[in-house]
Amino acid sequence: MSIELDNKQGLIAGNGQLPVQLAKNAKENGFEVIAISLSSDNRNELKKYCSRLYDYAPGEVLKIKNTLQTEKI
């Protein structure tokens, strides 16, 4: 039995530099990063490291859930 892992990483990003660093490190290690951005303060920096970036408010839980399901995360 073998397990095949997908190199796709989901990131729910708030404000600050921690989400940017996580996205950068994941990309440098060969992961495709799909981010849900909950804050506008670091969105431009996140775009550098994410293949797709979705912009949602923290209360849009169903939209976030549906996006994660669509992206197979």
Side-chain angles (χ1 to χ4, degrees):
M1 179 178 175
S2 72
I3 298 173
E4 190 172 318
L5 298 176
D6 195 6
N7 281 347
K8 189 186 292 188
Q9 191 74 45
L11 173 65
I12 298 179
N15 59 359
Q17 286 301 304
L18 181 60
V20 176
Q21 279 302 131
L22 289 171
K24 179 181 178 191
N25 291 342
K27 183 175 180 178
E28 288 174 353
N29 285 287
F31 287 91
E32 175 188 13
V33 181
I34 312 319
I36 305 288
S37 176
L38 303 177
S39 174
S40 62
D41 80 322
N42 57 10
R43 199 167 293 135
N44 287 334
E45 289 184 75
L46 281 170
K47 286 180 185 178
K48 298 175 189 175
Y49 307 110
C50 300
S51 60
R52 283 182 293 292
L53 181 67
Y54 298 91
D55 179 24
Y56 294 125
E60 295 181 293
V61 178
L62 288 178
K63 286 183 180 181
I64 294 169
K65 177 185 169 233
N66 290 338
T67 298
L68 294 173
Q69 287 177 331
T70 300
E71 290 288 349
K72 297 183 177 158
I73 296 174

